[in-house]
Amino acid sequence: MEISQLLKGVLDLAVLAVLRDDDGYGYDVLRRLRTAGLEEVGDASVYGTLRRLYKAGLLTSYVVPSEEGPHRKYYSLNDRGRARLAGSARTWRSFASIMDSLVDERA
């Protein structure tokens, strides 16, 4: 199975998790996901996910001016985002546990 196919279902959770402890702008979130091992995640997917999560009311944003380049739009988790992260993490752990059991029994 392609990792890119798996990412489609869990990218929201991955982005929320990356923003759990530190705010981040688009490229920063992308870099943190890739550093964590999700090297196949695409730029457009991450930027689109950030915009969608923001529109859904799960993130807040603010702009930080820069003298060296374009201003950066930072995203941070709000209370709704933290609640979604907690719920999605529970769902993921349950799903991953079931899949581990299935794969281990059949391998």
Side-chain angles (χ1 to χ4, degrees):
M1 175 175 272
E2 298 281 332
I3 290 178
S4 61
Q5 291 177 327
L6 294 171
L7 276 172
K8 290 178 184 174
V10 296
L11 191 54
D12 286 10
L13 174 59
V15 168
L16 291 172
V18 162
L19 292 172
R20 175 182 40 223
D21 297 323
D22 294 311
D23 299 352
Y25 55 93
Y27 183 74
D28 178 52
V29 171
L30 177 67
R31 182 185 50 77
R32 286 195 254 168
L33 289 169
R34 288 180 175 165
T35 298
L38 299 177
E39 292 138 4
E40 295 186 23
V41 68
D43 300 22
S45 296
V46 171
Y47 287 102
T49 298
L50 285 167
R51 285 191 298 273
R52 191 168 35 73
L53 293 172
Y54 176 76
K55 284 183 181 178
L58 303 174
L59 302 176
T60 58
S61 70
Y62 56 94
V63 175
V64 174
S66 172
E67 295 180 11
E68 300 170 1
H71 299 335
R72 291 183 173 152
K73 185 174 185 177
Y74 279 76
Y75 294 93
S76 61
L77 282 185
N78 57 27
D79 289 342
R80 287 185 63 199
R82 289 189 188 285
R84 174 70 62 87
L85 173 60
S88 294
R90 282 190 299 274
T91 301
W92 170 255
R93 287 185 192 105
S94 174
F95 179 78
S97 176
I98 292 167
M99 289 304 297
D100 281 345
S101 295
L102 287 171
V103 171
D104 286 345
E105 290 175 12
R106 300 184 195 280

